[in-house]
Amino acid sequence: MTAHTPETTGKTYDVTKTDEQWRAQLDPQEYHVLRQAGTERPFTGEYEDTTTEGVYACRGCGAELFTSAEKFASHCGWPSFFDPKDSDAVELLEDTSLGMRRVEVRCATCGSHLGHVFEGEGYATPTDQRYCINSISLTLRPTRA
């Protein structure tokens, strides 16, 4: 079984584009992650170690998803957040694509794949959750001083 993609679930999002439009907007690696539920290699993403203050938005549609206030150093190879900016900003779906149960995280505005959320790992965060998000699915908007 493969991971759910917006194109296979049939769900309608506020931002919808044809496959051709997505391919024109995104480079091949961005398309693979955001539209085909792929994953970037660990420790290669531009935001894994970033401590810049700001808002992390969906690279597909620009919706605000996470903030630097919820970002923490998990040392897992991808940017980690303990909570989204707004509970309605993301949607969570069961993912059994690797023969195990995981929870996929998607942008609630355009359905782009962001990563997965895990809980109970023992991180000292307020939610005991780790939103493990692909850097390539995000765009950081730094806070202006």
Side-chain angles (χ1 to χ4, degrees):
M1 174 185 271
T2 59
H4 301 290
T5 64
E7 291 73 20
T8 62
T9 62
K11 180 175 177 178
T12 303
Y13 294 92
D14 290 345
V15 173
T16 58
K17 299 179 183 187
T18 65
D19 187 59
E20 183 176 280
Q21 290 170 317
W22 283 117
R23 287 183 186 275
Q25 175 186 334
L26 305 169
D27 72 31
Q29 187 178 2
E30 292 168 346
Y31 181 86
H32 174 66
V33 173
L34 275 76
R35 306 313 299 171
Q36 297 178 314
T39 302
E40 66 190 351
R41 288 183 298 118
F43 303 102
T44 63
E46 66 182 309
Y47 301 130
E48 186 214 351
D49 294 324
T50 299
T51 57
T52 303
E53 291 185 16
V55 174
Y56 291 86
C58 175
R59 193 173 297 249
C61 70
E64 294 185 351
L65 303 171
F66 301 95
T67 72
S68 56
E70 289 86 30
K71 189 173 188 288
F72 70 101
S74 67
H75 309 289
C76 70
W78 295 272
S80 296
F81 304 87
F82 61 81
D83 214 11
K85 180 179 185 290
D86 178 342
S87 60
D88 293 334
V90 298
E91 70 175 332
L92 306 176
L93 296 150
E94 182 174 333
D95 175 5
T96 57
S97 62
L98 294 179
M100 66 179 105
R101 185 188 175 283
R102 298 183 298 166
V103 178
E104 179 185 6
V105 181
R106 274 200 217 164
C107 173
T109 302
C110 71
S112 288
H113 173 77
L114 305 171
H116 290 85
V117 62
F118 304 94
E119 58 185 315
E121 296 179 316
Y123 289 104
T125 62
T127 62
D128 197 25
Q129 293 182 317
R130 176 173 59 94
Y131 284 78
C132 183
I133 306 299
N134 291 286
S135 286
I136 202 166
S137 65
L138 302 171
T139 301
L140 174 59
R141 297 177 186 156
T143 303
R144 304 283 183 232

